[in-house]
Amino acid sequence: MQCDVPAVAGPPVGTYPVNEIFESLQGEASFTGTPSVFVRLQGCPVGCPWCDTKHTWQVIPEREISVGAMGEKTEQPCDSYAWCDVPTLANIVRAADAEHVVITGGEPCMYDLRPLIAKLEAWHHRVQVETSGTYVPLVTPSTFVTVSPKYAMSGGRPVLDEALARANEIKHPVGKQREINIVLEKLDPIHQARGTPIWLQPLSLSSRATGICIQAAHRYGWRVSLQTHKFINIR
Ligand code: SF4
């Protein structure tokens, strides 16, 4: 399946724009090593400069494809997407082996995820949502919410207290010491008050960033997330 697929018409009412669905291991934070179905939604206005899924930022009408074409996508990053309604999406997920479902993006919390998650949970899936914290997560009470807060990005969206309060875990990328200072100032109070785990994720797994993370984890009682999928060369 190549990226230059023909566009098809289709109204997006009550549906989600899906970039891709694939199975892998969750490589980060609390669910590291867990077989998972990843549902990547299209659309994100946050604008992180290091984003490795920039192809998901725009929902361009001309890039709409059929559900079948989306399901045949290869691993090549591609900005095409298919509008999927809840039954269609849930059925695709159900056909996979994994019980754990990760809804990611893009920024999945741009959308009201409750209908989709409720359906998946009714079929005994556990659902994790990965979000930037710039939207209030519209999820079910059982949803595991991973907030990776993105401060002062070009999209100008603030990180919301409501999103941080809903987090089951907080994950923060770290490249330099200044990110540790941000975690200490803005996120550690939540860790202290609510016991929400804080995971530090070294950017690009560089030895310098990893060293900063390990030192801070020891000092402040946080944890280090190492993107283990990259060590074994899987998605
Ligand atoms: S929030 Fe996520 S998808 Fe959006 S720009 Fe940042 S890293 Fe990329």
Side-chain angles (χ1 to χ4, degrees):
M1 182 71 212
Q2 300 298 311
C3 278
D4 55 346
V5 290
V8 296
V13 179
T15 59
Y16 303 92
V18 181
N19 180 282
E20 61 177 344
I21 300 174
F22 62 96
E23 282 192 86
S24 187
L25 298 180
Q26 171 59 282
E28 303 177 359
S30 299
F31 287 103
T32 295
T34 304
S36 305
V37 187
F38 289 80
V39 177
R40 187 182 305 287
L41 300 188
Q42 189 79 14
C44 180
V46 177
C48 307
W50 64 80
C51 179
D52 59 3
T53 55
K54 287 182 177 170
H55 58 286
T56 66
W57 286 10
Q58 304 291 332
V59 183
I60 301 169
E62 291 75 20
R63 300 301 294 155
E64 181 185 346
I65 58 176
S66 68
V67 174
M70 183 274 293
E72 293 172 11
K73 273 186 168 184
T74 64
E75 294 181 19
Q76 181 184 0
C78 179
D79 67 352
S80 62
Y81 64 91
W83 288 101
C84 292
D85 59 23
V86 169
T88 302
L89 192 39
N91 272 309
I92 295 172
V93 170
R94 194 182 198 183
D97 292 326
E99 174 189 297
H100 189 71
V101 180
V102 182
I103 303 178
T104 189
E107 174 43 84
C109 289
M110 291 174 64
Y111 309 102
D112 184 347
L113 299 172
R114 290 171 293 191
L116 173 61
I117 296 173
K119 182 76 168 173
L120 293 171
E121 288 180 341
W123 286 351
H124 307 293
H125 287 282
R126 177 180 56 229
V127 179
Q128 177 183 9
V129 171
E130 298 182 328
T131 177
S132 64
T134 59
Y135 289 83
V136 176
L138 298 175
V139 298
T140 66
S142 303
T143 306
F144 188 94
V145 177
T146 300
V147 176
S148 186
K150 306 297 193 306
Y151 291 101
M153 295 301 154
S154 62
R157 296 193 61 83
V159 174
L160 303 177
D161 290 342
E162 299 98 304
L164 291 172
R166 179 59 184 82
N168 296 96
E169 65 178 6
I170 296 171
K171 188 173 63 180
H172 200 285
V174 172
K176 298 179 178 169
Q177 182 63 37
R178 70 164 179 251
E179 276 103 31
I180 299 297
N181 299 339
I182 291 171
V183 175
L184 201 53
E185 176 193 345
K186 297 181 182 297
L187 304 174
D188 191 61
I190 298 162
H191 170 66
Q192 297 295 338
R194 297 172 175 268
T196 310
I198 290 178
W199 293 88
L200 305 175
Q201 196 153 283
L203 277 176
S204 306
L205 287 171
S206 79
S207 56
R208 183 166 180 268
T210 304
I212 291 171
C213 291
I214 292 172
Q215 188 178 39
H218 277 296
R219 184 168 182 185
Y220 300 114
W222 304 336
R223 305 175 185 182
V224 179
S225 173
L226 289 176
Q227 294 184 292
T228 51
H229 52 293
K230 294 188 177 178
F231 289 104
I232 53 177
N233 201 27
I234 60 172
R235 304 182 78 190

Tab-separated table of all heavy atoms in Angstrom, residues 24-72:
chain	number	residue	atom	x	y	z
A	24	SER	N	1.850	-4.423	18.045
A	24	SER	CA	3.254	-4.425	18.447
A	24	SER	C	3.299	-4.624	19.957
A	24	SER	O	2.296	-5.003	20.570
A	24	SER	CB	3.923	-3.098	18.062
A	24	SER	OG	5.322	-3.170	18.302
A	25	LEU	N	4.467	-4.379	20.536
A	25	LEU	CA	4.590	-4.320	21.990
A	25	LEU	C	4.588	-2.862	22.416
A	25	LEU	O	5.234	-2.030	21.757
A	25	LEU	CB	5.901	-4.961	22.464
A	25	LEU	CG	6.131	-6.442	22.179
A	25	LEU	CD1	7.490	-6.869	22.744
A	25	LEU	CD2	5.024	-7.296	22.785
A	26	GLN	N	3.879	-2.547	23.486
A	26	GLN	CA	4.028	-1.215	24.061
A	26	GLN	C	5.451	-1.122	24.597
A	26	GLN	O	5.869	-1.966	25.400
A	26	GLN	CB	2.991	-1.009	25.167
A	26	GLN	CG	3.157	0.252	26.007
A	26	GLN	CD	3.099	1.545	25.206
A	26	GLN	OE1	4.074	1.909	24.552
A	26	GLN	NE2	1.976	2.236	25.266
A	27	GLY	N	6.189	-0.138	24.143
A	27	GLY	CA	7.592	-0.065	24.515
A	27	GLY	C	7.905	0.926	25.618
A	27	GLY	O	9.064	1.050	26.013
A	28	GLU	N	6.882	1.640	26.118
A	28	GLU	CA	7.161	2.753	27.014
A	28	GLU	C	6.360	2.663	28.313
A	28	GLU	O	5.215	2.230	28.322
A	28	GLU	CB	6.810	4.073	26.306
A	28	GLU	CG	7.560	4.249	24.987
A	28	GLU	CD	7.179	5.519	24.242
A	28	GLU	OE1	6.305	6.263	24.743
A	28	GLU	OE2	7.750	5.761	23.169
A	29	ALA	N	7.011	3.088	29.377
A	29	ALA	CA	6.369	3.345	30.678
A	29	ALA	C	5.676	2.113	31.263
A	29	ALA	O	6.173	0.997	31.129
A	29	ALA	CB	5.432	4.531	30.563
A	30	SER	N	4.516	2.290	31.905
A	30	SER	CA	3.949	1.239	32.773
A	30	SER	C	3.643	-0.065	32.045
A	30	SER	O	3.705	-1.144	32.646
A	30	SER	CB	2.657	1.746	33.424
A	30	SER	OG	2.894	2.861	34.218
A	31	PHE	N	3.246	0.012	30.787
A	31	PHE	CA	2.859	-1.185	30.049
A	31	PHE	C	3.975	-1.710	29.141
A	31	PHE	O	3.707	-2.459	28.191
A	31	PHE	CB	1.578	-0.927	29.243
A	31	PHE	CG	0.349	-0.856	30.105
A	31	PHE	CD1	-0.221	0.374	30.417
A	31	PHE	CD2	-0.219	-1.999	30.644
A	31	PHE	CE1	-1.342	0.453	31.230
A	31	PHE	CE2	-1.348	-1.939	31.458
A	31	PHE	CZ	-1.912	-0.705	31.758
A	32	THR	N	5.195	-1.353	29.438
A	32	THR	CA	6.328	-1.836	28.639
A	32	THR	C	6.284	-3.363	28.504
A	32	THR	O	6.126	-4.074	29.497
A	32	THR	CB	7.656	-1.422	29.306
A	32	THR	OG1	7.756	-0.010	29.278
A	32	THR	CG2	8.853	-2.029	28.584
A	33	GLY	N	6.384	-3.809	27.274
A	33	GLY	CA	6.401	-5.245	26.999
A	33	GLY	C	5.029	-5.849	26.782
A	33	GLY	O	4.932	-7.054	26.498
A	34	THR	N	3.988	-5.035	26.859
A	34	THR	CA	2.632	-5.565	26.731
A	34	THR	C	2.210	-5.636	25.257
A	34	THR	O	2.214	-4.607	24.563
A	34	THR	CB	1.632	-4.660	27.491
A	34	THR	OG1	2.055	-4.545	28.846
A	34	THR	CG2	0.228	-5.235	27.423
A	35	PRO	N	1.821	-6.828	24.763
A	35	PRO	CA	1.294	-6.897	23.394
A	35	PRO	C	0.089	-5.965	23.257
A	35	PRO	O	-0.809	-5.985	24.112
A	35	PRO	CB	0.888	-8.367	23.246
A	35	PRO	CG	1.756	-9.085	24.232
A	35	PRO	CD	1.900	-8.145	25.395
A	36	SER	N	0.079	-5.170	22.202
A	36	SER	CA	-0.913	-4.101	22.100
A	36	SER	C	-1.362	-3.907	20.663
A	36	SER	O	-0.599	-4.136	19.721
A	36	SER	CB	-0.312	-2.769	22.589
A	36	SER	OG	0.213	-2.898	23.898
A	37	VAL	N	-2.606	-3.468	20.526
A	37	VAL	CA	-3.090	-2.974	19.241
A	37	VAL	C	-3.032	-1.453	19.304
A	37	VAL	O	-3.632	-0.842	20.199
A	37	VAL	CB	-4.550	-3.393	18.972
A	37	VAL	CG1	-4.957	-2.994	17.552
A	37	VAL	CG2	-4.749	-4.871	19.205
A	38	PHE	N	-2.297	-0.861	18.379
A	38	PHE	CA	-2.174	0.596	18.341
A	38	PHE	C	-3.153	1.157	17.315
A	38	PHE	O	-3.171	0.722	16.157
A	38	PHE	CB	-0.754	1.015	17.975
A	38	PHE	CG	0.254	0.759	19.068
A	38	PHE	CD1	0.781	-0.517	19.256
A	38	PHE	CD2	0.656	1.776	19.922
A	38	PHE	CE1	1.707	-0.762	20.272
A	38	PHE	CE2	1.577	1.540	20.943
A	38	PHE	CZ	2.100	0.266	21.113
A	39	VAL	N	-3.957	2.111	17.765
A	39	VAL	CA	-4.881	2.816	16.871
A	39	VAL	C	-4.385	4.254	16.785
A	39	VAL	O	-4.435	4.996	17.773
A	39	VAL	CB	-6.324	2.781	17.414
A	39	VAL	CG1	-7.251	3.582	16.498
A	39	VAL	CG2	-6.813	1.338	17.560
A	40	ARG	N	-3.857	4.620	15.639
A	40	ARG	CA	-3.296	5.968	15.492
A	40	ARG	C	-4.313	6.873	14.798
A	40	ARG	O	-4.661	6.641	13.639
A	40	ARG	CB	-1.991	5.937	14.685
A	40	ARG	CG	-1.290	7.311	14.663
A	40	ARG	CD	-0.004	7.315	13.823
A	40	ARG	NE	0.967	6.306	14.193
A	40	ARG	CZ	1.721	6.336	15.287
A	40	ARG	NH1	1.590	7.329	16.149
A	40	ARG	NH2	2.587	5.373	15.529
A	41	LEU	N	-4.778	7.891	15.527
A	41	LEU	CA	-5.735	8.824	14.948
A	41	LEU	C	-5.006	9.981	14.269
A	41	LEU	O	-3.905	10.360	14.669
A	41	LEU	CB	-6.687	9.353	16.032
A	41	LEU	CG	-7.520	8.294	16.769
A	41	LEU	CD1	-8.555	8.964	17.685
A	41	LEU	CD2	-8.231	7.357	15.788
A	42	GLN	N	-5.650	10.525	13.273
A	42	GLN	CA	-5.084	11.626	12.496
A	42	GLN	C	-5.515	12.960	13.115
A	42	GLN	O	-6.660	13.114	13.552
A	42	GLN	CB	-5.600	11.527	11.047
A	42	GLN	CG	-4.938	12.462	10.063
A	42	GLN	CD	-3.571	11.968	9.605
A	42	GLN	OE1	-3.219	10.819	9.821
A	42	GLN	NE2	-2.808	12.855	8.987
A	43	GLY	N	-4.593	13.924	13.137
A	43	GLY	CA	-4.902	15.261	13.611
A	43	GLY	C	-4.146	15.615	14.873
A	43	GLY	O	-4.203	14.873	15.857
A	44	CYS	N	-3.417	16.732	14.839
A	44	CYS	CA	-2.753	17.247	16.046
A	44	CYS	C	-2.344	18.695	15.796
A	44	CYS	O	-1.587	18.975	14.870
A	44	CYS	CB	-1.529	16.420	16.422
A	44	CYS	SG	-0.727	17.084	17.933
A	45	PRO	N	-2.792	19.626	16.653
A	45	PRO	CA	-2.415	21.037	16.496
A	45	PRO	C	-1.315	21.486	17.451
A	45	PRO	O	-1.086	22.686	17.585
A	45	PRO	CB	-3.738	21.741	16.844
A	45	PRO	CG	-4.294	20.894	17.943
A	45	PRO	CD	-3.849	19.466	17.654
A	46	VAL	N	-0.656	20.561	18.133
A	46	VAL	CA	0.257	20.943	19.219
A	46	VAL	C	1.586	21.498	18.688
A	46	VAL	O	2.104	22.493	19.193
A	46	VAL	CB	0.493	19.746	20.170
A	46	VAL	CG1	1.499	20.122	21.270
A	46	VAL	CG2	-0.827	19.320	20.807
A	47	GLY	N	2.150	20.850	17.684
A	47	GLY	CA	3.331	21.417	17.026
A	47	GLY	C	4.657	21.210	17.717
A	47	GLY	O	5.494	22.122	17.766
A	48	CYS	N	4.927	20.004	18.217
A	48	CYS	CA	6.237	19.718	18.838
A	48	CYS	C	7.308	19.638	17.739
A	48	CYS	O	7.139	18.879	16.771
A	48	CYS	CB	6.186	18.395	19.582
A	48	CYS	SG	4.835	18.275	20.770
A	49	PRO	N	8.416	20.355	17.888
A	49	PRO	CA	9.417	20.367	16.810
A	49	PRO	C	10.070	19.009	16.571
A	49	PRO	O	10.510	18.722	15.469
A	49	PRO	CB	10.438	21.407	17.293
A	49	PRO	CG	10.205	21.556	18.755
A	49	PRO	CD	8.764	21.249	19.002
A	50	TRP	N	10.155	18.168	17.602
A	50	TRP	CA	10.822	16.862	17.456
A	50	TRP	C	9.835	15.753	17.085
A	50	TRP	O	10.207	14.591	17.026
A	50	TRP	CB	11.509	16.474	18.762
A	50	TRP	CG	10.537	16.264	19.890
A	50	TRP	CD1	9.782	15.142	20.127
A	50	TRP	CD2	10.170	17.200	20.896
A	50	TRP	NE1	8.977	15.332	21.219
A	50	TRP	CE2	9.200	16.598	21.716
A	50	TRP	CE3	10.574	18.513	21.184
A	50	TRP	CZ2	8.621	17.250	22.798
A	50	TRP	CZ3	10.001	19.146	22.261
A	50	TRP	CH2	9.044	18.524	23.059
A	51	CYS	N	8.583	16.112	16.863
A	51	CYS	CA	7.534	15.108	16.624
A	51	CYS	C	7.959	14.102	15.553
A	51	CYS	O	8.405	14.482	14.477
A	51	CYS	CB	6.255	15.809	16.188
A	51	CYS	SG	4.909	14.658	15.826
A	52	ASP	N	7.816	12.813	15.857
A	52	ASP	CA	8.167	11.797	14.862
A	52	ASP	C	6.942	11.286	14.122
A	52	ASP	O	7.020	10.297	13.394
A	52	ASP	CB	8.968	10.653	15.506
A	52	ASP	CG	8.208	9.953	16.624
A	52	ASP	OD1	7.035	10.320	16.860
A	52	ASP	OD2	8.776	9.052	17.258
A	53	THR	N	5.798	11.948	14.331
A	53	THR	CA	4.591	11.578	13.562
A	53	THR	C	3.968	12.838	12.955
A	53	THR	O	2.761	13.040	13.032
A	53	THR	CB	3.565	10.848	14.453
A	53	THR	OG1	3.251	11.655	15.600
A	53	THR	CG2	4.066	9.488	14.903
A	54	LYS	N	4.805	13.659	12.340
A	54	LYS	CA	4.284	14.900	11.746
A	54	LYS	C	3.270	14.627	10.633
A	54	LYS	O	2.450	15.481	10.302
A	54	LYS	CB	5.445	15.758	11.230
A	54	LYS	CG	6.244	16.400	12.358
A	54	LYS	CD	7.375	17.282	11.849
A	54	LYS	CE	8.067	17.954	13.042
A	54	LYS	NZ	9.320	18.642	12.679
A	55	HIS	N	3.346	13.433	10.086
A	55	HIS	CA	2.394	13.073	9.036
A	55	HIS	C	0.965	12.952	9.574
A	55	HIS	O	0.018	12.843	8.792
A	55	HIS	CB	2.814	11.758	8.363
A	55	HIS	CG	2.920	10.602	9.310
A	55	HIS	ND1	3.970	10.460	10.207
A	55	HIS	CD2	2.113	9.533	9.507
A	55	HIS	CE1	3.795	9.355	10.915
A	55	HIS	NE2	2.676	8.781	10.517
A	56	THR	N	0.809	12.977	10.895
A	56	THR	CA	-0.545	12.865	11.458
A	56	THR	C	-1.145	14.231	11.776
A	56	THR	O	-2.281	14.302	12.251
A	56	THR	CB	-0.541	12.042	12.760
A	56	THR	OG1	0.186	12.760	13.779
A	56	THR	CG2	0.082	10.675	12.571
A	57	TRP	N	-0.439	15.306	11.572
A	57	TRP	CA	-0.892	16.606	12.062
A	57	TRP	C	-2.165	17.094	11.357
A	57	TRP	O	-3.057	17.622	12.006
A	57	TRP	CB	0.213	17.655	11.873
A	57	TRP	CG	1.348	17.519	12.839
A	57	TRP	CD1	1.578	16.483	13.709
A	57	TRP	CD2	2.423	18.442	13.047
A	57	TRP	NE1	2.716	16.708	14.432
A	57	TRP	CE2	3.258	17.889	14.062
A	57	TRP	CE3	2.768	19.669	12.483
A	57	TRP	CZ2	4.410	18.543	14.510
A	57	TRP	CZ3	3.920	20.313	12.934
A	57	TRP	CH2	4.723	19.760	13.932
A	58	GLN	N	-2.234	16.962	10.075
A	58	GLN	CA	-3.327	17.552	9.304
A	58	GLN	C	-4.343	16.501	8.877
A	58	GLN	O	-3.962	15.394	8.486
A	58	GLN	CB	-2.778	18.232	8.038
A	58	GLN	CG	-1.716	19.291	8.306
A	58	GLN	CD	-2.296	20.523	8.992
A	58	GLN	OE1	-3.474	20.853	8.828
A	58	GLN	NE2	-1.472	21.197	9.773
A	59	VAL	N	-5.610	16.877	8.950
A	59	VAL	CA	-6.667	16.019	8.397
A	59	VAL	C	-7.075	16.658	7.073
A	59	VAL	O	-7.956	17.523	7.013
A	59	VAL	CB	-7.864	15.897	9.356
A	59	VAL	CG1	-8.909	14.945	8.787
A	59	VAL	CG2	-7.404	15.421	10.738
A	60	ILE	N	-6.410	16.274	6.026
A	60	ILE	CA	-6.590	16.898	4.710
A	60	ILE	C	-7.623	16.103	3.920
A	60	ILE	O	-7.443	14.889	3.702
A	60	ILE	CB	-5.236	16.925	3.952
A	60	ILE	CG1	-4.201	17.701	4.775
A	60	ILE	CG2	-5.413	17.525	2.564
A	60	ILE	CD1	-2.778	17.577	4.258
A	61	PRO	N	-8.714	16.738	3.512
A	61	PRO	CA	-9.779	15.981	2.836
A	61	PRO	C	-9.271	15.155	1.654
A	61	PRO	O	-9.712	14.017	1.447
A	61	PRO	CB	-10.738	17.082	2.385
A	61	PRO	CG	-10.539	18.184	3.380
A	61	PRO	CD	-9.073	18.151	3.725
A	62	GLU	N	-8.335	15.711	0.910
A	62	GLU	CA	-7.838	14.996	-0.278
A	62	GLU	C	-7.027	13.754	0.086
A	62	GLU	O	-6.704	12.940	-0.777
A	62	GLU	CB	-6.968	15.930	-1.132
A	62	GLU	CG	-7.722	17.053	-1.811
A	62	GLU	CD	-8.123	18.161	-0.851
A	62	GLU	OE1	-7.508	18.268	0.246
A	62	GLU	OE2	-9.069	18.906	-1.174
A	63	ARG	N	-6.665	13.592	1.343
A	63	ARG	CA	-5.866	12.442	1.757
A	63	ARG	C	-6.720	11.339	2.372
A	63	ARG	O	-6.185	10.375	2.924
A	63	ARG	CB	-4.767	12.876	2.738
A	63	ARG	CG	-3.811	13.892	2.156
A	63	ARG	CD	-3.124	13.373	0.920
A	63	ARG	NE	-2.238	12.259	1.233
A	63	ARG	CZ	-1.881	11.330	0.361
A	63	ARG	NH1	-2.375	11.339	-0.874
A	63	ARG	NH2	-1.075	10.359	0.731
A	64	GLU	N	-8.036	11.522	2.303
A	64	GLU	CA	-8.916	10.469	2.819
A	64	GLU	C	-8.855	9.240	1.914
A	64	GLU	O	-8.849	9.359	0.692
A	64	GLU	CB	-10.357	10.980	2.908
A	64	GLU	CG	-11.302	9.934	3.472
A	64	GLU	CD	-12.756	10.377	3.442
A	64	GLU	OE1	-13.018	11.579	3.236
A	64	GLU	OE2	-13.619	9.504	3.612
A	65	ILE	N	-8.795	8.070	2.543
A	65	ILE	CA	-8.798	6.814	1.811
A	65	ILE	C	-9.875	5.902	2.394
A	65	ILE	O	-10.501	6.228	3.405
A	65	ILE	CB	-7.411	6.111	1.881
A	65	ILE	CG1	-7.011	5.861	3.353
A	65	ILE	CG2	-6.369	6.933	1.154
A	65	ILE	CD1	-5.699	5.092	3.506
A	66	SER	N	-10.090	4.788	1.787
A	66	SER	CA	-11.092	3.838	2.283
A	66	SER	C	-10.554	3.102	3.520
A	66	SER	O	-9.341	3.041	3.746
A	66	SER	CB	-11.439	2.827	1.195
A	66	SER	OG	-10.326	1.984	0.954
A	67	VAL	N	-11.462	2.519	4.281
A	67	VAL	CA	-11.051	1.737	5.450
A	67	VAL	C	-10.167	0.571	5.017
A	67	VAL	O	-9.145	0.265	5.651
A	67	VAL	CB	-12.284	1.229	6.222
A	67	VAL	CG1	-11.864	0.283	7.345
A	67	VAL	CG2	-13.081	2.398	6.794
A	68	GLY	N	-10.524	-0.073	3.928
A	68	GLY	CA	-9.729	-1.206	3.446
A	68	GLY	C	-8.313	-0.788	3.077
A	68	GLY	O	-7.349	-1.477	3.392
A	69	ALA	N	-8.203	0.377	2.411
A	69	ALA	CA	-6.870	0.861	2.031
A	69	ALA	C	-6.058	1.215	3.272
A	69	ALA	O	-4.850	0.949	3.335
A	69	ALA	CB	-6.994	2.070	1.123
A	70	MET	N	-6.716	1.790	4.262
A	70	MET	CA	-5.994	2.116	5.509
A	70	MET	C	-5.457	0.843	6.159
A	70	MET	O	-4.329	0.784	6.643
A	70	MET	CB	-6.934	2.864	6.463
A	70	MET	CG	-6.316	3.334	7.771
A	70	MET	SD	-6.345	2.068	9.047
A	70	MET	CE	-8.110	1.920	9.333
A	71	GLY	N	-6.271	-0.216	6.129
A	71	GLY	CA	-5.877	-1.472	6.747
A	71	GLY	C	-4.714	-2.149	6.046
A	71	GLY	O	-4.046	-2.999	6.637
A	72	GLU	N	-4.464	-1.768	4.807
A	72	GLU	CA	-3.365	-2.374	4.047
A	72	GLU	C	-2.093	-1.545	4.074
A	72	GLU	O	-1.115	-1.882	3.416
A	72	GLU	CB	-3.798	-2.564	2.592
A	72	GLU	CG	-4.911	-3.590	2.432
A	72	GLU	CD	-5.463	-3.621	1.016
A	72	GLU	OE1	-4.843	-2.993	0.129
A	72	GLU	OE2	-6.507	-4.241	0.814
